[in-house]
Amino acid sequence: MKHLISLFDLTLEEMESILTLAEKLKRQNKEGIQHHLLKGKTLGMIFSKSSTRTRVSFEVGMYQLGGYSLFLNSNDIQLGRGESIYDTAQVLSRYIDGIMIRTFKHSDVEDLAKFGNIPVINGLTDLMHPCQILADLLTIYEQKGTLKGLKLAYVGDGNNVANSLLHGCAKVGMDIAVATPKGFECDKNIVFEAREDSKSSGSQVIITNDPEEAVFNADVIYADTWVSMGQEAEKADRIKIFMPYQVNSQLFSKAKEDAIFLHCLPAYRGYEVTEEIIDGPQSVIFDEAENRMHVQKAVMALLMG
Ligand code: CP
Ligand code: NVA
C-alpha cells in the first residue's frame, strides 16, 4: 500500500490492518498513551473545497502521531494559479513526507501520486471519499461486532460517499443496497468493481431506485447530503427530486429493529434525514465523525511510518 486513493486498490488484508491499528490507536488515545509513530514527519494538506472534519481530524491526528501538518488552501498556493500537478508533486516531494488532498477531479489525485515520490491520501474527490468509509466501517464494527454478513442501505444521491461505500462494503463482505432516483445512480465503473470484489467476499450488491427495497432488513441506514460541494446551483431541483428519498421514521421502520443510522456529515436536517432519526437513539453520527481521526492516523502511520 503506497497511497490511499480508492478503497478498490486495497486488499482485504490491508483494509483489516488499517481498522485493527485504528482500534489500537483509539484505545491508547483514550488511555492517554502517546504513540509518536510519525515523529518529525510532515503532512501537507491541500484543500480546494471546504472541510471541518477532514481538516481538523488530519491536523490533530498528525499532532498526536508526533508529526506536523501544513494547511494549504489551493487558492493560496501556485497550483490555484495554474502551476502543473507535475511540478507541484515534484516540489512537495522535496519538502514533506505525505500529502492529503481534497479536490474536484479524481484524476488530479491520481496524477499527484503518479508524479510525486511521497504517499498521497484522498481526502475527497467528486468520485470518492475513502477515508470516510474507513471510519464508517470502524463505527459499524464497534456497534455490531462484525462486518461480514451485515446489510447497509444507502439512500439518496449516487455520489462520492455512495461510490466509496460500494467499494468498502463489497471488500469486507457486507451486503450493500444503494437507492437513488433515476439518473443519479452511482458511477458505473465503481458498481462493476464492487461486483468484482463481492464475488470473492460473498457480499450482495443491490442497485435500485426504490428506497424501501434498499432499507428492507438493513442493519445500517446511511444518508448524505443531496447537494454535494460544487452542485450548489442545482439545489432547488435536487430537493424536489430527492424528497421521496428522505430517511424518516416511516422508512427507518422497514430496517431491522436494532438498525443504526450513519451520516458522513455535514447534515441538513429536514432534507436527507429527519431530526428524529439523526438525533434519535439509533444514530451514531458523532462516533462516526470521531473515528475519522482514528482511521486516518492508522492510514498515515502505515503509509508514512
Ligand atoms: N465528512 C466529511 O468529510 O466532513 P468535512 O467535509 O467536514 O471534512
Ligand atoms: N457528498 C458530500 C460529502 C461531504 C463530506 C460532498 O461531496 O459534498
Side-chain angles (χ1 to χ4, degrees):
M1 183 171 127
K2 283 200 184 129
H3 306 282
L4 177 63
I5 296 178
S6 162
L7 292 180
F8 185 66
D9 299 338
L10 302 186
T11 63
L12 176 61
E13 292 68 34
E14 285 168 338
M15 195 110 116
E16 283 170 351
S17 61
I18 295 169
L19 296 176
T20 305
L21 181 57
E23 270 193 303
K24 180 178 162 190
L25 296 177
K26 181 172 183 176
R27 204 176 330 114
Q28 290 183 338
N29 188 248
K30 304 282 177 203
E31 290 166 2
I33 301 169
Q34 278 192 347
H35 36 236
H36 286 171
L37 303 175
L38 295 180
K39 198 167 162 43
K41 301 271 170 105
T42 302
L43 175 78
M45 310 191 299
I46 303 174
F47 282 92
S48 310
K49 294 181 177 182
S50 308
S51 169
T52 298
R53 280 143 289 269
T54 305
R55 178 177 176 181
V56 178
S57 58
F58 267 104
E59 195 160 330
V60 174
M62 196 56 189
Y63 174 73
Q64 290 182 1
L65 290 169
Y68 186 74
S69 62
L70 283 173
F71 174 71
L72 305 167
N73 183 325
S74 65
N75 290 325
D76 300 334
I77 57 174
Q78 300 289 9
L79 188 65
R81 291 181 60 243
E83 186 167 16
S84 69
I85 303 256
Y86 179 84
D87 288 0
T88 304
Q90 284 286 321
V91 171
L92 290 179
S93 296
R94 303 288 178 109
Y95 299 135
I96 61 181
D97 305 288
I99 303 175
M100 192 286 301
I101 176 165
R102 164 169 288 195
T103 194
F104 294 85
K105 266 172 72 184
H106 189 75
S107 59
D108 284 353
V109 180
E110 292 172 334
D111 286 347
L112 201 56
K114 189 162 70 192
F115 299 141
N117 309 306
I118 52 176
V120 170
I121 300 171
N122 177 359
L124 179 147
T125 62
D126 287 346
L127 193 64
M128 295 179 201
H129 197 1
C131 293
Q132 179 64 52
I133 277 56
L134 290 171
D136 302 338
L137 294 176
L138 178 60
T139 311
I140 297 165
Y141 186 78
E142 286 173 345
Q143 294 292 326
K144 300 284 178 193
T146 183
L147 294 174
K148 213 174 160 64
L150 296 178
K151 178 182 179 186
L152 181 143
Y154 174 94
V155 183
D157 187 19
N159 61 16
N160 42 15
V161 168
N163 286 335
S164 285
L165 278 169
L166 277 168
H167 274 158
C169 292
K171 186 80 72 181
V172 300
M174 273 175 71
D175 294 345
I176 175 163
V178 177
T180 69
K182 284 208 167 62
F184 294 88
E185 286 87 0
C186 284
D187 181 87
K188 281 199 169 57
N189 188 45
I190 290 180
V191 175
F192 177 81
E193 289 175 342
R195 290 202 199 283
E196 277 306 296
D197 268 348
S198 73
K199 285 181 198 156
S200 46
S201 73
S203 84
Q204 235 195 314
V205 176
I206 301 161
I207 305 293
T208 176
N209 301 118
D210 178 358
E212 291 201 2
E213 181 195 344
V215 164
F216 175 73
N217 220 18
D219 301 279
V220 183
I221 314 270
Y222 202 116
D224 183 18
T225 181
W226 295 335
V227 188
S228 284
M229 290 180 276
Q231 299 171 335
E232 289 76 9
E234 303 165 32
K235 186 172 172 184
D237 290 341
R238 282 178 164 262
I239 287 173
K240 278 190 223 134
I241 295 167
F242 282 93
M243 218 51 197
Y245 292 79
Q246 182 185 64
V247 176
N248 50 35
S249 35
Q250 197 268 333
L251 186 64
F252 210 87
S253 69
K254 312 283 176 194
K256 285 203 183 129
E257 216 173 311
D258 62 350
I260 55 171
F261 176 74
L262 264 64
H263 190 307
C264 58
L265 304 179
Y268 301 91
R269 287 167 172 76
Y271 293 97
E272 72 270 14
V273 59
T274 56
E275 233 169 79
E276 57 185 339
I277 295 297
I278 195 168
D279 299 320
Q282 281 157 278
S283 170
V284 292
I285 54 167
F286 298 121
D287 286 341
E288 182 187 4
E290 177 187 332
N291 284 337
R292 287 293 302 277
M293 184 175 79
H294 304 300
V295 293
Q296 289 160 194
K297 282 170 70 180
V299 168
M300 289 190 286
L302 291 167
L303 288 177
M304 296 164 63

